Amino acid sequence: AILAEAAEEGRTIVAAAMPPALGAPHAALVAPRAPVLSLRVLSLSGTRLCEFRVGLQAKISTVKQLIRYACGISPHEQRLVFAGKVWTDERTLAEAGAHAPGTMEVHCVRTAPSSIARSFVDADSSVHACAWDVVDSVLASEHGVSERCRPLGAEALGNVAGAIHPQHRAEVITWLVEAFTMLHFDREVLHSVVLTIDRYLSSRPAPMPPGSVLGLLLAAICIEMKLVGARDFLEGHWQRVVLHIANGHADLSTILQMELELLQALSFRVGVPTPASFLRQLWATHELGQAAGVADLALFLLLLCLFQPDIAYRHPHCLLAAGALSAA
């Protein structure tokens, strides 16, 4: 790439100073009869990374290629800073304020790619790298929300485990699975309902009265159906669905009152990412749609975790999703 660009612009490469990948430790890009400077590249902390001779008419993009060969840093990871200003690829060294002859020091700020961008096939493309960095940022943000809301600590997990008898909890979750399957609800809604209930229970040291469990369950379903969005339901549909699930054991006003109590206890922090939502994002990110059975098995493993709060909340939800996907 350097040779081709030099040939187009009438410059020559000094053969004795080729990049390490081509045989020697330093490179010199020299325009005929043009002033040459020695460019010293430093890290942000001042550590010397490399040094080479280069002509003033060399483009910044070419300099980045030289740094890549000398230090192994991809061009899209480099931000070259001189006198407090970031150099842009299309400018030449002369346009960026360099003078020759002499030695010039420039700082290379390395913007490491995200874990996704690092494994992306077209990682050298800044457009794709930036896009995947945005994806990573969104995932990191959702992970932060999940961690702030996940029941943590022995006391919180003890409250969740002690609020409802394990056998009763298993019956409730089994009933939820059957009901949501009949209603064609997404499995993520099931996880969201259970997480909302467990977050509420984690702040209550006393066991739940048997008669109030149904009201709590209906209130959590009511919240999650509203979070799905009005576009997914006809007007009044969520009310009919909740009353259908209640099967005459609670009226709408009682359910809404319990919903308000639940929201106040959670400081109105709802819609928290669950292991199922992280699994969907991991699945979409790695384009594994051809193996749908793997996704079903991973979802089933996450469903089993709901029966045991100490397993469901022992690890971060994103890690639990990754573990289920790996095991599947």
Side-chain angles (χ1 to χ4, degrees):
I2 297 173
L3 287 168
E5 184 175 346
E8 288 178 2
E9 300 184 12
R11 297 193 298 273
T12 59
I13 296 288
V14 179
M18 293 297 290
L22 303 181
H26 298 291
L29 185 58
V30 183
R33 298 180 298 279
V36 177
L37 64 87
S38 179
L39 189 66
R40 183 177 300 151
V41 183
L42 308 176
S43 68
L44 192 60
S45 61
T47 304
R48 176 175 166 175
L49 300 177
C50 60
E51 184 172 346
F52 46 80
R53 295 170 58 239
V54 62
L56 287 178
Q57 297 307 312
K59 290 184 178 180
I60 304 301
S61 58
T62 304
V63 173
K64 287 185 176 182
Q65 290 289 350
L66 293 171
I67 295 174
R68 176 184 187 176
Y69 285 118
C71 306
I73 304 174
S74 297
H76 75 273
E77 298 179 38
Q78 300 176 30
R79 296 293 182 273
L80 300 182
V81 182
F82 175 71
K85 295 182 179 179
V86 179
W87 284 352
T88 54
D89 290 356
E90 65 275 5
R91 304 180 70 188
T92 64
L93 283 173
E95 293 171 341
H99 301 282
T103 300
M104 183 180 185
E105 292 186 345
V106 61
H107 286 86
C108 178
V109 181
R110 184 171 184 177
T111 56
S114 65
S115 58
I116 297 177
R118 199 174 287 123
S119 60
F120 196 70
V121 175
D122 195 18
D124 285 337
S125 168
S126 59
V127 175
H128 284 123
C130 289
W132 286 113
D133 281 341
V134 171
V135 173
D136 258 11
S137 297
V138 172
L139 288 174
S141 177
E142 292 197 352
H143 169 64
V145 173
S146 174
E147 284 298 278
R148 286 193 294 272
C149 297
R150 178 167 61 99
L152 295 172
E155 182 179 354
L157 290 177
N159 291 341
V160 173
I164 304 177
H165 190 275
Q167 183 177 351
H168 190 192
R169 179 186 179 90
E171 292 172 353
V172 169
I173 294 176
T174 302
W175 177 81
L176 274 174
V177 172
E178 295 175 354
F180 280 22
T181 301
M182 292 179 61
L183 293 170
H184 303 288
F185 278 10
D186 191 276
R187 192 58 61 87
E188 288 185 37
V189 180
L190 169 65
H191 284 263
S192 296
V193 168
V194 175
L195 176 60
T196 299
I197 294 174
D198 286 342
R199 289 175 57 211
Y200 175 76
L201 297 178
S202 67
S203 61
R204 290 173 49 91
M208 284 286 295
S212 61
V213 173
L214 178 61
L216 177 63
L217 186 62
L218 292 171
I221 294 174
C222 187
I223 291 172
E224 294 305 323
M225 288 193 67
K226 291 177 180 178
L227 288 174
V228 170
R231 292 175 299 177
D232 297 313
F233 295 114
L234 298 174
E235 184 177 356
H237 180 68
W238 67 267
Q239 294 95 327
R240 291 192 293 271
V241 170
V242 171
L243 289 175
H244 175 71
I245 296 174
N247 196 25
H249 294 286
D251 56 26
L252 189 59
S253 61
T254 303
I255 296 172
L256 293 178
Q257 181 60 39
M258 185 62 200
E259 179 191 16
L260 177 60
E261 179 183 338
L262 184 58
L263 288 170
Q264 290 174 337
L266 299 178
S267 301
F268 289 84
R269 295 177 180 174
V270 291
V272 178
T274 67
S277 57
F278 281 112
L279 177 64
R280 173 179 52 81
Q281 292 165 342
L282 289 172
W283 189 259
T285 298
H286 292 284
E287 300 178 349
L288 301 174
Q290 298 298 323
V294 177
D296 293 337
L297 180 55
L299 274 173
F300 179 71
L301 293 175
L302 292 180
L303 174 62
L304 293 180
C305 292
L306 295 179
F307 289 85
Q308 307 236 355
D310 59 324
I311 296 178
Y313 304 116
R314 183 187 305 169
H315 303 290
H317 286 162
C318 61
L319 187 60
L320 200 64
L325 182 58
S326 176

